[in-house]
Amino acid sequence: NAGVMQNPRHLVRRRGQEARLRCSPMKGHSHVYWYRQLPEEGLKFMVYLQKENIIDESGMPKERFSAEFPKEGPSILRIQQVVRGDSAAYFCASSPQLAGVEQYFGPGTRLTVT
Amino acid sequence: ELKVEQNPLFLSMQEGKNYTIYCNYSTTSDRLYWYRQDPGKSLESLFVLLSNGAVKQEGRLMASLDTKARLSTLHITAAVHDLSATYFCAVDGWIGETSGSRLTFGEGTQLTVNP
């Protein structure tokens, strides 16, 4: 059973460009979570999604960030007009249909904004 | 808002010594997780603590949970160099079936074990 997959693993963008980060949950998992880790800090919750629904986006910055988890395909975290402060590691986690159980983390996407 | 505090944030210790990392959290929760992270890597799940009084051990690491005190500890016994990493605790702030879970992480404890 493959684990949570994220791609790309490393992404370099210039200021003002768009970044798209992809997350494929573990097989059978329908809950996806995105977390951001700034350098030398812990992970911070961004958004929680189920298929075709955003359940909790209270951790998402108000502007430039959006997330989706379509019926088919991976979950996408999209950052428009990136700035240097967006440089971070972005981790996706997934859990099975029943909420309130352990989340399994992907390898992360390390975004560098130049 | 759920807050999670770890201490110490930095820990340098000699091989063979024992030490404890503490994780305090601010609201009621019955689920607490410990993770290990090596530089540039993802999180490796170490322990899942699901009830008051839970104690789990794996090798030189032992974790416990006291939900009444809102405290978890990660005890390191006879440290070895391979344990050098950053350790995070995370508390599940599960709101309910309609809102699901979100993990709130501590700041992390950067452990260095010196030969």
Side-chain angles (χ1 to χ4, degrees):
Chain A
N1 188 7
V4 179
M5 299 173 66
Q6 290 187 248
N7 68 82
R9 298 288 301 276
H10 299 273
L11 182 61
V12 179
R13 285 286 179 264
R14 292 198 175 124
R15 279 180 297 172
Q17 291 185 318
E18 178 179 289
R20 280 181 178 245
L21 289 62
R22 294 175 189 77
C23 168
S24 296
M26 286 180 70
K27 187 175 181 181
H29 286 193
S30 57
H31 297 216
V32 166
Y33 309 80
W34 286 93
Y35 295 85
R36 176 166 67 174
Q37 184 178 33
L38 295 169
E40 308 299 324
E41 293 188 12
L43 280 72
K44 297 285 195 296
F45 168 81
M46 298 182 75
V47 62
Y48 161 48
L49 310 103
Q50 295 178 21
K51 287 281 187 182
E52 300 184 280
N53 282 306
I54 298 174
I55 307 301
D56 181 355
E57 58 181 345
S58 57
M60 288 277 270
K62 294 285 186 282
E63 298 177 347
R64 302 185 298 109
F65 285 72
S66 62
E68 62 176 5
F69 188 16
K71 187 177 180 181
E72 300 290 338
S75 175
I76 306 285
L77 179 67
R78 182 182 176 207
I79 312 172
Q80 295 178 289
Q81 299 176 315
V82 296
V83 300
R84 289 233 173 99
D86 297 333
S87 295
Y90 293 81
F91 291 96
C92 167
S94 72
S95 66
Q97 186 168 3
L98 179 62
V101 297
E102 186 176 5
Q103 298 173 22
Y104 295 83
F105 282 83
T109 294
R110 278 152 184 86
L111 172 66
T112 302
V113 179
T114 61
Chain B
E1 180 187 344
L2 175 57
K3 293 191 187 303
V4 181
E5 294 184 346
Q6 280 181 244
N7 72 83
L9 299 183
F10 298 93
L11 178 54
S12 180
M13 56 192 296
Q14 295 280 351
E15 278 193 330
K17 298 292 187 183
N18 304 331
Y19 209 85
T20 300
I21 299 170
Y22 297 89
C23 174
N24 291 89
Y25 54 97
S26 61
T27 63
T28 302
S29 176
D30 289 333
R31 296 183 184 84
L32 189 138
Y33 305 86
W34 283 97
Y35 294 93
R36 168 182 171 146
Q37 186 179 40
D38 291 292
K41 303 292 186 183
S42 186
L43 281 78
E44 175 190 351
S45 178
L46 295 174
F47 299 107
V48 180
L49 302 170
L50 297 177
S51 62
N52 186 41
V55 177
K56 292 194 174 179
Q57 182 162 7
E58 182 72 36
R60 300 175 188 274
L61 301 178
M62 183 173 70
S64 66
L65 177 62
D66 182 344
T67 58
K68 292 178 181 174
R70 299 177 185 168
L71 170 68
S72 180
T73 61
L74 180 66
H75 187 72
I76 303 156
T77 302
V80 293
H81 180 68
D82 286 352
L83 289 179
S84 297
T86 299
Y87 293 84
F88 291 97
C89 64
V91 177
D92 187 336
W94 186 48
I95 301 168
E97 291 272 344
T98 57
S99 299
S101 294
R102 60 155 87 174
L103 294 179
T104 300
F105 284 80
E107 308 98 313
T109 297
Q110 190 173 317
L111 172 65
T112 304
V113 181
N114 302 305

